[in-house]
Amino acid sequence: MYENKSPVQRAILAAVDLGEYDVNASLDELAALAESAGAEVVARMSQKRPQFDPATCMGEGRLEELAEAVKNYECDLVIFDHELSASQLRNIERAVDAAVVDRTMLILDIFAQRAVTDEGKLQVELAQQRYLLPRLAGIGTQLSRLGGGIGTRGPGETKLETDRRHIRRRIRSLEERLRELTDRRERMRTRRKKDNLLTVAVVGYTNVGKSTLLNALTGAEVLAENKLFATLDPTSRSLELPDGRSVLLVDTVGLIRRLPHHLVEAFQSTLEEAAAADLILIVCDIASPDVREQLDVTEQVIADLGAGGTPTVLAYNQCDRIDTIPFPLQKNAVLVSAKTGFGFDRLLAALARALEPTQRRLRLLVPYAQGGLRNEITEAGKVLYEEYTESGILLDALVDQKILYKFTGMILPQESI
């Protein structure tokens, strides 16, 4: 679906190791991001330093080695695993004689390729404009060199060379349009609450199988590819639980290590679906060696959104790819395989247990004289079975607890419901 018709760019990855995190693991992820954007990674280079060089990020000697590698590998792109300032971008580009982008620019490029809805495109452009505003001086030369390559795609690409005043106006306009969409989304959430529609936000690291799991559980046709950020725009699908209740599964944008704060901020309206949900379904890839870090990143973002108190169920996906469970499972965890369907029954049961009961399943005999109660049930509940008998309407139904008092004397024994 996301066909990149531009010539494949040969890229070298670069990083400075300050000892704050596992640089090799971060470069592995950067390589996956680069490939997802359409680049071919041919080499990687890192340097241990106590701090970044303010002018070139790397030290002078290591930068010369990077320039030599660019020449030897015939590369036209260097991707740094950190955010770079305008002067660093300009200085590094001059030193290596190739286009230079940083981690955030790469992620924004992928987002620009993936956004489908108006809201997704607005969020991408807003993030681009906010990021580019302080870096205009360093990025101008890249446009002519890249010619539309990685780091220059997306709704905002034609505005990169405009002056700061115009970009600030554009940012204000985008913020206003996103506020309107956010208000609309909030009204939809309010309506769902009013209708007692339970929502389950599907949250997790990118490329752990969230969309595949959503498709398998609901029969949806959400794009599911083995790429980072294969789906960017939120998707909602209805799902019926074993107790008869229907919930709305809401997919959310995937997370990654060190997701830049302003990207979280730009996608706030999308991620608010998780903050406003009745339950959060966290999906992790149990076959990944980084599964614990995936969970840590996800839980941290959930906490940052103010949803730390929301009930959670943890789905360890891709259990079909492991022979033994590598660690004891948490109380709220379930092993599943979106590919084979293994564990789905236990997962649905776990979701039903975790959701606060708002309805009761009852066997009722409603007199014909009070037949209007049948319609009241369907306003906030569900009729699962009905039969018209001589004595009245026999119902098997999910009844909102707020109206249980209206059925006094009509409740029958729970015989083989």
Side-chain angles (χ1 to χ4, degrees):
M1 180 176 179
Y2 303 119
E3 186 179 354
N4 181 12
K5 296 182 180 180
S6 304
V8 175
Q9 292 174 268
R10 293 168 60 82
I12 292 180
L13 309 183
V16 172
D17 184 359
L18 303 183
E20 297 175 343
Y21 52 84
D22 186 337
V23 167
N24 289 327
S26 189
L27 282 174
D28 288 341
E29 184 172 85
L30 189 68
L33 287 166
E35 289 165 5
S36 188
E40 178 190 358
V41 176
V42 297
R44 57 175 69 183
M45 183 177 293
S46 63
Q47 179 186 32
K48 287 189 175 182
R49 287 178 59 90
Q51 60 188 19
F52 296 125
D53 186 294
T56 56
C57 192
M58 281 184 159
E60 182 178 347
R62 200 62 166 159
L63 196 61
E64 290 177 359
E65 292 179 25
L66 179 59
E68 188 66 25
V70 166
K71 185 185 299 183
N72 292 338
Y73 285 102
E74 298 181 346
C75 292
D76 50 5
L77 179 65
V78 175
I79 305 174
F80 268 75
D81 197 29
H82 332 280
E83 285 193 1
L84 301 174
S85 67
S87 59
Q88 286 173 334
L89 282 166
R90 184 172 57 249
N91 293 337
I92 296 170
E93 186 179 69
R94 288 173 179 169
V96 302
D97 192 28
V100 178
V101 299
D102 62 21
R103 183 183 180 89
T104 300
M105 294 167 69
L106 177 63
I107 294 170
L108 283 171
D109 182 89
I110 297 170
F111 279 14
Q113 295 181 61
R114 304 293 191 258
V116 175
T117 66
D118 289 341
E119 183 173 15
K121 292 175 181 177
L122 287 173
Q123 289 175 136
V124 170
E125 185 177 354
L126 177 60
Q128 285 179 325
Q129 298 286 1
R130 284 176 173 168
Y131 185 73
L132 292 170
L133 181 60
R135 293 172 172 81
L136 289 177
I139 291 176
T141 55
Q142 288 188 355
L143 292 178
S144 58
R145 180 189 295 277
L146 278 173
I150 291 172
T152 68
R153 278 184 284 246
E157 66 181 299
T158 60
K159 305 172 184 66
L160 302 185
E161 291 175 300
T162 59
D163 60 31
R164 286 181 172 83
R165 189 184 312 168
H166 177 81
I167 287 186
R168 289 192 182 100
R169 282 199 302 267
R170 182 63 181 161
I171 287 174
R172 287 194 294 271
S173 172
L174 290 167
E175 288 173 338
E176 179 59 33
R177 291 170 65 186
L178 273 173
R179 269 193 296 272
E180 293 172 2
L181 290 171
T182 300
D183 290 344
R184 186 189 308 168
R185 190 185 291 275
E186 180 59 35
R187 288 194 295 271
M188 290 172 61
R189 285 197 289 261
T190 302
R191 178 60 186 269
R192 292 202 297 256
K193 293 290 185 185
K194 185 179 179 181
D195 294 342
N196 287 329
L197 182 58
L198 298 169
T199 57
V200 177
V202 185
V203 181
Y205 217 73
T206 185
N207 206 31
V208 295
K210 295 194 308 300
S211 296
T212 303
L213 183 61
L214 187 72
N215 290 341
L217 288 172
T218 67
E221 295 183 356
V222 180
L223 175 70
E225 289 186 302
N226 186 27
K227 288 183 178 180
L228 301 188
F229 301 112
T231 51
L232 180 62
D233 297 291
T235 304
S236 302
R237 293 291 185 274
S238 180
L239 174 69
E240 186 166 313
L241 299 180
D243 60 10
R245 285 184 293 176
S246 291
V247 297
L248 194 66
L249 281 186
V250 183
D251 200 2
T252 59
V253 63
L255 308 174
I256 60 169
R257 292 181 185 88
R258 295 161 43 230
L259 186 64
H261 178 72
H262 43 269
L263 292 189
V264 175
E265 194 175 79
F267 283 80
Q268 186 75 18
S269 61
T270 300
L271 291 168
E272 277 175 0
E273 290 291 347
D278 299 288
L279 176 68
I280 296 175
L281 173 59
I282 299 175
V283 183
C284 293
D285 177 5
I286 197 167
S288 169
D290 302 321
V291 59
R292 289 188 180 277
E293 186 174 358
Q294 291 176 3
L295 183 57
D296 290 343
V297 169
T298 303
E299 290 180 336
Q300 184 59 54
V301 171
I302 290 172
D304 291 344
L305 291 169
T310 303
T312 60
V313 169
L314 179 55
Y316 282 114
N317 189 28
Q318 306 209 51
C319 68
D320 55 296
R321 294 177 53 205
I322 61 171
D323 297 321
T324 58
I325 303 172
F327 46 78
L329 297 183
Q330 300 90 321
K331 186 178 180 181
N332 64 333
V334 181
L335 286 173
V336 299
S337 168
K339 181 179 178 181
T340 68
F342 176 85
F344 280 12
D345 290 346
R346 286 190 292 274
L347 175 59
L348 294 177
L351 294 176
R353 285 195 304 270
L355 285 165
E356 183 178 345
T358 57
Q359 301 166 336
R360 279 185 60 190
R361 186 171 180 178
L362 298 173
R363 189 165 175 261
L364 304 166
L365 183 62
V366 180
Y368 287 114
Q370 295 174 270
L373 290 174
R374 189 255 184 226
N375 295 330
E376 287 195 43
I377 291 175
T378 58
E379 288 180 5
K382 182 188 293 185
V383 173
L384 303 172
Y385 171 82
E386 65 181 318
E387 179 183 342
Y388 289 83
T389 70
E390 291 182 2
S391 306
I393 309 172
L394 182 63
L395 297 173
D396 174 11
L398 292 172
V399 182
D400 190 323
Q401 300 205 91
K402 295 176 184 176
I403 62 171
L404 284 179
Y405 68 94
K406 297 185 179 184
F407 296 91
T408 302
M410 304 179 198
I411 301 175
L412 301 176
Q414 302 288 85
E415 297 175 359
S416 63
I417 285 184

